[in-house]
Amino acid sequence: MISDRLSAVTTRFETMKPRVYIETFGCQMNVADTERAATGLRSSGYDLCDSVDEADVVLLNTCSVREKAERKVYTRIGEVRAARSGKQDVLVGVMGCVAQLEGASVFDHAPSVDMVIGTRATDRIPLLIERARGGERKLLDLDERGETDSWDVSPAERHSPHVAFIPIIEGCNKFCSFCIVPYSRGRERSRPASEIVAEVKNLQALGYKEIQLIGQNVNSYRPRVDDGLEGFKGATPFCRLLRAVAATGMPRIKFTTSFPRDFHPDIVTAIDENPNLCDWIHLPVQSGSDRILKLMRRGHTRNDYWQRIERIKSSSRRLALTSDIIVGFPGETDEDFCQTLDLVRQCEYDSIYIFKYSKRAGTPAANFTDTVPEKEKTARFLALEEAQRKTQERIYRSYVGRTLQVLVEKQSTRSEHDLSGHSTCNKVVNFAGDRSLEGEIVNVTVTAAKTNSLYGALVNRSAVE
Ligand code: 5AD
Ligand code: SF4
């Protein structure tokens, strides 16, 4: 049966240019990895397509940060196989964090998987597919990056023609007790600044209006060489990188995610000095209780965090602030949770992502026994959501009557008469307008505040550079 399937696939590959469909789950790092994988595949002669139905090879780029995300992968593998049952069969590969963590046991869970491709094997995907096409079974690559691995992304493979993600650091050395990322993504490795700046300049020449410097902890950026940062002042390599990237003249520069312990006040100074460094900071706190922060091994106290927030709030521009919070961490009492509620109110976040704690095997917190019942986690989730809703309503309403610079990204999904984009403070802004404005930065006066977006009216049709 299996050999029939392989011989059918092989025959088809011999006669046609293989088409690859990559489906991406999870964070922006996965989106960036998909863009790189697609670039490598295209340059090796593969065609990329947009659905399982058209594909000869299906790659699932997976996320393992919470248990639910991981379960989704196995459901999806089943769906892919079902969608193709009775038709031309496909090769299926699992890449990303689940691949790196589960390794060969993916084959036990899902025997129909042909390839398991770890987070550092992106450059070797064309080779792995070649081998699978040649009939090799259950291919596994969890090896490190090669010395000559490339970060190149062709413009055609970027997720948007207007906003580009640029990974500046990968991996994580922080080992928060709940988090699987240090295991799935390995140790921190920073890219040379010269390479990052060159990529920004390239994107600018191609007409990109916004770049986002991305990494699990962007502000822990620490390249091995100073190459590209000469002449740029700053208290940390990340502050110097921000100034170097701002000096390219790229219209809008955002960065995410920042880690509180490494959040140097000079980041805010760099933002104050450079209008193209955008007015938005994502600084996850996870909990407002010192006791829980310690159990989480975050390396910061509530007060350390608040000091960073005070500096952000003292900026000459109002900087939008967002955060991630976990509720129901093992041992979290009512009193601990009240401290989280209190901190969230005090910080006045523009928005927050709330997660119910989910046990990840292999992390230290997986052995913590003092678990919070699911019902209680849900109650805390809802209480926090309600507290945030009130703050957010007030903040969003305060934008009514103000004019924001919006990068027009696409037609709104709600109405074909509306366009949708993001402000410099990273709010979704919708407004009536013609699609010819896509890719432009325009002025929009806010007329209404919705729960998670703003609605406005175009001020004039001339682009603001
Ligand atoms: N349970 C719940 N949320 C988690 N996160 C990371 N690990 C877990 C976990 N085990 C959340 C954190 C992190 C975000 C990306 O996901 O809040 O900042
Ligand atoms: Fe996970 Fe903590 Fe690293 Fe963020 S800093 S990726 S939460 S271990």
Side-chain angles (χ1 to χ4, degrees):
M1 174 67 193
I2 287 164
S3 65
D4 280 357
R5 183 161 77 74
L6 277 174
S7 79
V9 170
T10 313
T11 312
R12 183 175 170 78
F13 276 139
E14 276 159 6
T15 53
M16 282 193 66
K17 211 170 170 190
R19 281 161 307 183
V20 184
Y21 170 59
I22 313 181
E23 195 164 283
T24 312
F25 302 85
C27 68
Q28 291 155 327
M29 289 306 271
N30 272 11
V31 173
D33 281 348
T34 292
E35 291 174 348
R36 278 179 47 222
T39 303
L41 282 162
R42 192 88 73 177
S43 68
S44 306
Y46 289 83
D47 244 355
L48 277 295
C49 61
D50 297 324
S51 73
V52 168
D53 273 348
E54 302 163 77
D56 301 302
V57 182
V58 174
L59 299 178
L60 303 178
N61 192 359
T62 60
C63 169
S64 62
V65 77
R66 282 170 297 278
E67 204 173 52
K68 212 163 127 192
E70 185 160 342
R71 275 202 307 265
K72 242 194 216 150
V73 177
Y74 292 105
T75 312
R76 190 63 189 134
I77 294 166
E79 286 170 359
V80 168
R81 286 289 177 216
R84 297 295 294 245
S85 93
K87 298 182 203 150
Q88 177 63 53
D89 217 341
V90 283
L91 290 172
V92 174
V94 174
M95 53 187 281
C97 294
V98 174
Q100 187 68 41
L101 285 169
E102 301 291 321
S105 75
V106 170
F107 298 125
D108 302 332
H109 275 99
S112 73
V113 167
D114 302 288
M115 293 165 285
V116 170
I117 305 159
T119 48
R120 271 92 81 189
T122 317
D123 273 47
R124 296 184 289 273
I125 294 175
L127 222 70
L128 289 164
I129 296 179
E130 272 322 302
R131 287 171 55 194
R133 288 170 69 201
E136 277 186 69
R137 306 279 339 284
K138 300 203 167 157
L139 286 158
L140 177 69
D141 186 341
L142 304 180
D143 293 345
E144 288 304 318
R145 273 189 196 295
E147 280 301 312
T148 56
D149 275 10
S150 145
W151 287 88
D152 282 355
V153 175
S154 120
E157 314 307 340
R158 297 233 176 230
H159 74 285
S160 155
H162 315 302
V163 179
F165 293 157
I166 305 185
I168 63 165
I169 177 170
E170 56 174 357
C172 181
N173 292 354
K174 307 298 188 283
F175 290 93
C176 300
S177 64
F178 53 82
C179 186
I180 201 74
V181 167
Y183 310 92
S184 60
R185 291 265 164 193
R187 296 296 68 73
E188 288 171 2
R189 283 169 304 265
S190 299
R191 284 173 71 190
S194 54
E195 202 178 290
I196 296 164
V197 169
E199 191 171 337
V200 176
K201 286 181 178 163
N202 215 348
L203 288 162
Q204 199 178 355
L206 289 164
Y208 278 82
K209 298 277 168 54
E210 178 175 312
I211 56 125
Q212 298 194 9
L213 306 175
I214 63 165
Q216 248 74 41
N217 296 295
V218 275
N219 54 334
S220 309
Y221 178 73
R222 208 162 281 281
R224 268 186 294 189
V225 286
D226 218 29
D227 189 18
L229 294 175
E230 306 86 351
F232 292 99
K233 67 180 170 86
T236 64
F238 180 64
C239 298
R240 295 172 70 198
L241 179 72
L242 282 180
R243 289 185 172 93
V245 171
T248 62
M250 171 59 76
R252 295 162 42 129
I253 299 150
K254 295 177 180 173
F255 55 89
T256 185
T257 295
S258 296
F259 186 65
R261 204 176 56 205
D262 293 341
F263 195 88
H264 197 284
D266 191 32
I267 295 175
V268 182
T269 311
I271 294 175
D272 282 342
E273 289 167 358
N274 295 280
N276 56 346
L277 295 179
C278 287
D279 44 343
W280 165 56
I281 290 168
H282 183 58
L283 195 65
V285 67
Q286 312 296 356
S287 169
S289 152
D290 276 342
R291 209 178 63 81
I292 296 297
L293 286 170
K294 201 163 181 196
L295 287 171
M296 286 179 163
R297 301 187 191 162
R298 289 285 291 172
H300 64 84
T301 62
R302 177 193 177 112
N303 191 45
D304 296 333
Y305 183 81
W306 178 246
Q307 279 176 10
R308 269 98 178 146
I309 299 298
E310 281 191 312
R311 175 68 188 102
I312 292 168
K313 288 189 186 291
S314 75
S315 164
S316 55
R317 278 181 278 168
R318 179 188 177 275
L319 306 182
L321 193 59
T322 57
S323 189
D324 295 347
I325 315 278
I326 296 177
V327 294
F329 186 79
E332 186 188 72
T333 61
D334 276 345
E335 171 54 26
D336 293 317
F337 175 64
C338 283
Q339 288 178 21
T340 299
L341 263 180
D342 183 64
L343 183 68
V344 165
R345 289 194 184 109
Q346 189 182 343
C347 289
E348 299 186 293
Y349 292 114
D350 291 65
S351 67
I352 57 174
Y353 299 93
I354 311 169
F355 304 100
K356 288 190 221 172
Y357 171 72
S358 142
K359 178 172 158 173
R360 305 309 292 124
T363 62
N367 300 319
F368 297 178
T369 48
D370 197 4
T371 54
V372 175
E374 194 55 35
K375 216 169 121 199
E376 188 53 40
K377 281 187 202 168
T378 305
R380 290 177 189 173
F381 181 101
L382 293 173
L384 189 56
E385 196 176 50
E386 177 57 14
Q388 174 59 23
R389 194 187 57 74
K390 287 187 184 142
T391 308
Q392 200 164 322
E393 212 174 88
R394 192 161 32 78
I395 293 176
Y396 274 50
R397 266 205 314 260
S398 75
Y399 280 93
V400 175
R402 284 178 52 192
T403 299
L404 301 178
Q405 288 187 7
V406 177
L407 171 57
V408 187
E409 285 154 56
K410 56 181 187 186
Q411 197 174 50
S412 156
T413 42
R414 291 260 172 90
S415 158
E416 62 180 53
H417 305 295
D418 285 350
L419 298 171
S420 185
H422 283 85
S423 63
T424 53
C425 57
N426 214 41
K427 306 244 174 341
V428 172
V429 183
N430 297 308
F431 60 99
D434 188 84
R435 288 196 69 172
S436 61
L437 289 174
E438 276 179 33
E440 309 265 354
I441 295 173
V442 297
N443 282 344
V444 175
T445 302
V446 178
T447 54
K450 315 271 176 193
T451 315
N452 287 309
S453 66
L454 299 170
Y455 195 82
L458 188 64
V459 173
N460 59 52
R461 295 180 64 94
S462 63
V464 182
E465 289 302 338

